[in-house]
Amino acid sequence: MTPPHLALILLIDLIWAFNIVAVKYAVDDAGPLTAVTLRYVIVLAVCLPWLRWLPGRMKAVLVTGVVAGALFMGLGALSFALATNISALAITGQLGVPFSLILAVIVYKEKIRLPRITAVVLSFAGVAVMGFDPAIARESIAVWLTVAAAFSWAVGNLLFRALAGVPVMTTHAWLALVSVPLLAATAMVFEPQGLARVGALKASTWGWLGYSAILSSLVGHGGMRWLFQRYPVAVGAPLTLPTPLISVVIAALVFGNPVTAQMVVGGIIPLAGVAIITLRTAQARDNPDGTP
């Protein structure tokens, strides 16, 4: 991989890691449902020129938009609104990787061997260990919402396979177009005060929303898809593994989240599992016979 492309991956790691700050500040000021609605409004405004009808794929587009857009982002925003220890959410969110593997085994009958089976067990065991930490136990509702968001993300990954070959900006345009009315309607019911004060939001909140929409969603996800078109998955995917570790450091520095010994141990275990799954799955995708 060339130095400019390595620099791009490092930039994406930092963008995604710092996005926890953007999301937390945005949901605390605007409200979780309002914040994620506005985030997708920004995405839609940027991606609208790329919106195209996709013959034969519109059913997949609509279902993917609901699951990978509105549901995933809505659950994630709610979890951030309820949590004070954001570090726990950054680690728990990595369960999307083992969830994706489990779904691939169930739906696509993908064959996995002992290393990845062990890695799945480690991933869930580590989050369970972390959950008994008194500093995190009081965040249980937020953690469970993050688990649900991670599962939605994994289902969304499965659905994205039906959209293979669709340009990144077109995909995001449809995700936003499907998500905005659903999220806005939900916010009108459960968070009407948030929508009512959109015009009074602080300039900094709009900045955080723009950060999440443009940098995290479009530059981050779009950049990784662009790189995966040019390099084997086994080369690019492992380079995103530092993201949750950087997120934990950022959460500790910005929000003063405590980092206890139990949290460190409980965090290392699932991240080790995620690393094993990521590396071996990437090798399986890049090998002609499909074996890691």
Side-chain angles (χ1 to χ4, degrees):
M1 184 173 287
T2 65
H5 291 165
L6 285 172
L8 176 58
I9 287 185
L10 176 59
L11 175 63
I12 291 171
D13 284 343
L14 294 173
I15 287 172
W16 281 345
F18 199 78
N19 191 49
I20 63 171
V21 176
V23 172
K24 181 59 176 173
Y25 281 143
V27 300
D28 282 353
D29 185 36
L33 297 174
T34 301
V36 75
T37 299
L38 295 176
R39 174 176 176 171
Y40 266 128
V41 167
I42 296 171
V43 171
L44 181 58
V46 174
C47 297
L48 195 58
W50 287 271
L51 188 66
R52 300 287 186 275
W53 188 262
L54 303 173
R57 294 187 173 188
M58 292 312 301
K59 181 179 179 180
V61 165
L62 295 175
V63 175
T64 304
V66 172
V67 176
L71 186 60
F72 165 57
M73 287 293 186
L75 290 170
L78 287 170
S79 69
F80 271 78
L82 294 174
T84 54
N85 194 325
I86 308 302
S87 301
L89 305 188
I91 295 172
T92 305
Q94 300 305 303
L95 288 180
V97 175
F99 275 140
S100 293
L101 180 58
I102 292 170
L103 289 172
V105 171
I106 295 173
V107 177
Y108 293 108
K109 310 302 180 185
E110 181 174 326
K111 303 297 183 182
I112 61 173
R113 297 176 180 174
L114 184 60
R116 285 197 289 178
I117 295 174
T118 304
V120 170
V121 174
L122 284 175
S123 299
F124 289 101
V127 172
V129 169
M130 192 173 59
F132 287 103
D133 188 331
I136 297 175
R138 58 178 174 267
E139 313 278 4
S140 59
I141 297 177
V143 169
W144 279 110
L145 283 170
T146 302
V147 172
F151 183 76
S152 299
W153 179 86
V155 175
N157 271 351
L158 214 64
L159 295 171
F160 272 123
R161 296 193 183 191
L163 301 179
V166 178
V168 174
M169 300 297 277
T170 300
T171 300
H172 280 287
W174 278 111
L175 286 180
L177 187 62
V178 172
S179 298
V180 167
L182 293 174
L183 291 167
T186 306
M188 288 178 65
V189 174
F190 297 102
E191 203 175 271
Q193 73 285 356
L195 290 176
R197 57 183 297 270
V198 166
L201 291 178
K202 295 182 291 187
S204 60
T205 300
W206 285 105
W208 294 124
L209 290 169
Y211 180 99
S212 292
I214 297 172
L215 292 182
S216 181
S217 292
L218 301 181
V219 175
H221 293 288
M224 286 307 301
R225 285 187 64 179
W226 182 82
L227 287 168
F228 284 151
Q229 291 173 356
R230 288 157 176 79
Y231 294 99
V233 177
V235 173
L239 297 176
T240 64
L241 291 173
T243 298
L245 299 176
I246 301 172
S247 295
V248 170
V249 173
I250 290 174
L253 293 175
V254 176
F255 301 112
N257 291 164
V259 180
T260 64
Q262 186 170 345
M263 181 180 170
V264 171
V265 173
I268 289 174
I269 294 173
L271 292 181
V274 168
I276 294 170
I277 293 171
T278 301
L279 290 167
R280 293 187 69 86
T281 301
Q283 292 171 4
R285 288 176 181 171
D286 292 332
N287 287 344
D289 61 356
T291 58

